[in-house]
Each structure stands twice: as structure tokens, then as C-alpha cells.
Amino acid sequence: MKLIFATHNKNKLLEIAAMMPSNFELLSLDDIGCNEDIPETSNTIEGNAILKADYVKQHYNLDCFADDTGLEVEILNGEPGVHSARYAGNRKNDEANISKLLDELKATRNRKAQFKTVIALNLQDHQILFIGICTGKITRGPRGTFGFGYDSVFQPDGSDKTFGEMTLEEKSTFSHRGKALRDLLDYLGS
Amino acid sequence: MKLIFATHNKNKLLEIAAMMPSNFELLSLDDIGCNEDIPETSNTIEGNAILKADYVKQHYNLDCFADDTGLEVEILNGEPGVHSARYAGNRKNDEANISKLLDELKATRNRKAQFKTVIALNLQDHQILFIGICTGKITRGPRGTFGFGYDSVFQPDGSDKTFGEMTLEEKSTFSHRGKALRDLLDYLGS
């Protein structure tokens, strides 16, 4: 089965491709000749996942899915949330984002946070969203060099490692994106 | 299988119950002794469906689903949308809402609109959203006495009747809520 994953993000593509069974042919936006940066103008994670999946449906009429992810910190009332990728400014910059987050939290002992991934699937005329949540805490400083985004400062419940200290396979057993993707694959009957 | 539908709305309960196969035992909030009006404080339809389903999960730890629905009018940039139930004021009032909508549209020939239903399902630790959309137009005045909400002024594409002129069964073949619910039931394997 051919399925478009509406992303240009090579890290996300790598994570998803690693979990895909071999009977799926996973294509990225680049693979279908779409060089556009699809505008993510919604103020929710669900909304942005829908925007991206709908864009591919409308412009290419292909079965597809899109993912949007945010880090929701309890003491910051769910921020950075939908703004996670651009928390410290308009350009995506992991280091600046992490630095801002640690700075915001430096005076607090409440480090609770959760990653939330929403995968929006457009299949024929059906639209279904799979939501994966991973609870954990923000560490005092970065640990590990794997992963991307906030991975080096997020330690999921049930582990003493940050995502930055985990292999892709290990991360996927815990992670928000892993959960949402497993639900998607269950749904597709694989 | 026992499933809670997180609503006090008897009209919605009736629509959903009519489509439920007999191997499902559908219980409402009243049936489980929940008399609270669950706050719908999100600014999106998806968000409110999630809020309601999560409330039941957190307080009762039962498998459940919740629905939120909005009418999105093209020329009004998607309004009333998440505000559909309280468009004309803080109390739910179908007549006042319809009257306000017809007034907003009285000078325009673009009557395009869509109903959108989001059903959020919480099953064990999985959360999945089923989205049903029904495109159509807003009529010049109310027609028919069936249904509720904006049904009497909404005519779905492919029909010359408004939802207000359709039986429940007829409405469900077209409707946003019918589509989302059929996807939910497919998922549950019935």
C-alpha cells in the first residue's frame, strides 16, 4: 500500500520509516514532487496535523497522513505546545528552544511535561486522528545526543534516560509518536 | 461491549443510539450518575470532543467517546464553528442561533457551509478521533421540523431537502455525525 507522509522533516521520516511494515511504501513530500512548506497556521496540534494532511489530499488526491507534535509543560499551562518548534523565535532552532525552556523552568521544581503527537490520516473520504501522549519530566540540563527537538531534556515516565540517550527503537517503545503510529498501523490492519 | 457516550444531549443520544449495533450497550452521562456539565472551554471542535472524553476517563476510568459538532460557513470564515451552540448568546437557543445566522447571510449569495463532527474515543490508553464532514448550503429560511440545532436551514449536497425535512435514518446517511460514527463502529470492529 502506497501512503504519503506529509513531511519534509528527515528526522520524523526516519522514525516513522523504522516502524513501517514492509508492505507499505512510504513516500515523503519530496518523493511526490511537493517542495512547498505547508503553512501550519492552526493554533492547535490537531489543527496543524489536519492542515498538512488536507493539503496533500486537496493538491495531489493521494492517501496520506501528517503528524504534528508539541511539548506541553504543566507549569507553563501547556506551552510551548503548538509553538514548540519555534518557541525561541521564527526559525526552527533546537538549541535556542531548549535554552529558553530550561530558563523558564529554572526556578521551579515542577518539571512535569508531556509530548503529544497527532497523526491525521486521510484515506479516501475518511479522516481519522491518532493521538499519542508520553508523560515525563524536563531534566535540569540536556543529556544525550540522539533524537532531535527537545529529546535531550525530556525523560519519559518509567525510564531513567532522556529520549536523547535512547536509540530510535528504544524511544519508539515509549514515545508519543510511536504510540500514535502503532494505532495508525493497527487501524490499517497491518 | 459497554461504552459511555459523554453527553447529556438527548437529541445526540437518539441519533447515535439509532445507529448502534445491538452488541453495544450505550450509556449516557446520566446513566453513570454524572450530572456535571463538562466545561467546553477549547477553541476548537477537536479540543472540546477531547475535553469531554478525557473527563469521563479521568473521573470514571471507563471506555467512552464524546462528540462535538460545529457548523462552518464559508463566507463567515468558518464561523460559528466551535461557537455554534451559543452563537446568539450564552444560553443554547436554536431559534435565536438560526435567526442570527440567516441575518448574517441575508446579503450574500455564497451560502456554502459544512457541518463537522469530531468523535473522540478513549479506549484503554488509546485516543482516536473520527472526523465527519458534510458539505452543503444554508437555505434562505427554515424548512422542516425534524432534527435540532441548524438542521432546518442546512441542505446537504446531493439532496433537495434540509436535515429538518429528513427522518433520522435519512439524515444519518448524509450527515457528519453519521460518517464519524460509522468510522468509529468500523474501528470497533462491528
Side-chain angles (χ1 to χ4, degrees):
Chain A
M1 180 183 179
K2 197 178 278 191
L3 205 54
I4 315 303
F5 178 29
T7 191
H8 295 293
N9 184 324
K10 294 206 182 338
N11 288 303
K12 285 188 182 178
L13 196 65
L14 205 67
E15 273 196 25
I16 298 271
M19 290 180 66
M20 275 277 165
S22 58
N23 56 328
F24 285 89
E25 185 186 352
L26 191 67
L27 301 176
S28 72
L29 289 178
D30 297 324
D31 292 330
I32 59 168
C34 171
N35 302 311
E36 293 286 313
D37 253 331
I38 304 173
E40 300 181 30
T41 52
S42 172
N43 57 7
T44 64
I45 298 170
E46 290 82 9
N48 278 333
I50 292 173
L51 274 180
K52 288 184 274 187
D54 283 356
Y55 183 96
V56 174
K57 191 79 194 167
Q58 279 157 20
H59 290 75
Y60 297 88
N61 196 26
L62 293 167
D63 291 340
C64 64
F65 66 96
D67 130 305
D68 201 51
T69 293
L71 176 67
E72 301 176 327
V73 179
E74 187 175 272
I75 196 108
L76 302 177
N77 297 313
E79 285 293 308
V82 72
H83 310 108
S84 295
R86 294 178 172 81
Y87 191 36
N90 269 333
R91 291 191 55 200
K92 292 184 186 180
N93 181 327
D94 291 350
E95 269 183 55
N97 289 337
I98 287 175
S99 172
K100 180 174 177 184
L101 179 65
L102 292 177
D103 204 48
E104 293 278 355
L105 297 182
K106 71 177 172 218
T108 178
R109 295 177 64 178
N110 178 356
R111 320 284 299 179
K112 277 189 205 165
Q114 62 177 30
F115 264 122
K116 176 174 169 180
T117 283
V118 177
I119 293 180
L121 171 72
N122 279 344
L123 210 59
Q124 286 118 29
D125 63 341
H126 303 275
Q127 182 166 73
I128 299 181
L129 271 55
F130 303 89
I131 299 180
I133 286 174
C134 176
T135 58
K137 64 174 187 181
I138 304 300
T139 54
R140 290 274 165 193
R143 296 201 322 253
T145 55
F146 293 129
F148 62 105
Y150 298 88
D151 282 356
S152 64
V153 294
F154 183 85
Q155 182 177 319
D157 291 338
S159 174
D160 52 9
K161 292 181 186 171
T162 67
F163 278 156
E165 297 171 303
M166 295 184 187
T167 62
L168 204 48
E169 198 179 359
E170 205 174 353
K171 178 183 170 186
S172 289
T173 63
F174 285 97
S175 86
H176 45 298
R177 189 169 294 110
K179 283 181 191 168
L181 185 65
R182 277 190 293 278
D183 281 347
L184 168 74
L185 294 175
D186 274 353
Y187 177 78
L188 294 173
S190 68
Chain B
M1 178 182 182
K2 197 180 277 191
L3 205 54
I4 316 302
F5 178 30
T7 191
H8 295 294
N9 184 323
K10 292 204 183 340
N11 288 302
K12 285 187 182 179
L13 195 64
L14 205 67
E15 274 196 25
I16 299 271
M19 288 179 69
M20 274 277 165
S22 57
N23 55 329
F24 284 90
E25 186 186 351
L26 190 68
L27 301 175
S28 73
L29 290 177
D30 298 324
D31 293 329
I32 59 168
C34 171
N35 302 312
E36 295 285 312
D37 252 333
I38 304 174
E40 299 181 31
T41 52
S42 171
N43 59 7
T44 64
I45 297 170
E46 290 82 10
N48 279 333
I50 291 174
L51 274 180
K52 288 185 273 187
D54 282 356
Y55 184 96
V56 174
K57 191 80 192 166
Q58 279 156 20
H59 290 75
Y60 297 88
N61 196 25
L62 294 167
D63 290 342
C64 65
F65 66 95
D67 130 305
D68 200 51
T69 294
L71 177 67
E72 300 176 329
V73 179
E74 187 174 273
I75 195 111
L76 302 177
N77 298 314
E79 285 293 309
V82 72
H83 310 109
S84 295
R86 293 179 173 81
Y87 190 37
N90 270 333
R91 292 191 52 200
K92 292 184 187 179
N93 182 326
D94 289 351
E95 269 182 57
N97 288 338
I98 287 174
S99 172
K100 181 174 176 184
L101 178 65
L102 292 178
D103 205 47
E104 292 278 354
L105 298 182
K106 72 178 171 216
T108 177
R109 294 177 65 177
N110 178 357
R111 321 285 300 179
K112 277 189 206 167
Q114 63 178 28
F115 264 121
K116 176 174 169 180
T117 283
V118 177
I119 293 180
L121 171 72
N122 279 345
L123 211 59
Q124 287 117 31
D125 63 340
H126 304 275
Q127 182 165 75
I128 298 180
L129 270 55
F130 303 89
I131 299 179
I133 285 174
C134 177
T135 58
K137 64 175 189 180
I138 304 300
T139 54
R140 290 274 164 192
R143 297 200 322 252
T145 54
F146 293 129
F148 63 104
Y150 298 88
D151 282 356
S152 64
V153 294
F154 184 84
Q155 182 177 319
D157 291 337
S159 173
D160 53 8
K161 292 181 185 173
T162 68
F163 278 156
E165 296 171 303
M166 293 185 189
T167 63
L168 204 49
E169 196 179 0
E170 205 175 352
K171 178 183 170 187
S172 289
T173 63
F174 284 97
S175 86
H176 43 298
R177 189 169 294 111
K179 282 182 192 168
L181 185 64
R182 276 189 295 277
D183 281 347
L184 168 74
L185 293 175
D186 274 352
Y187 176 78
L188 293 173
S190 68

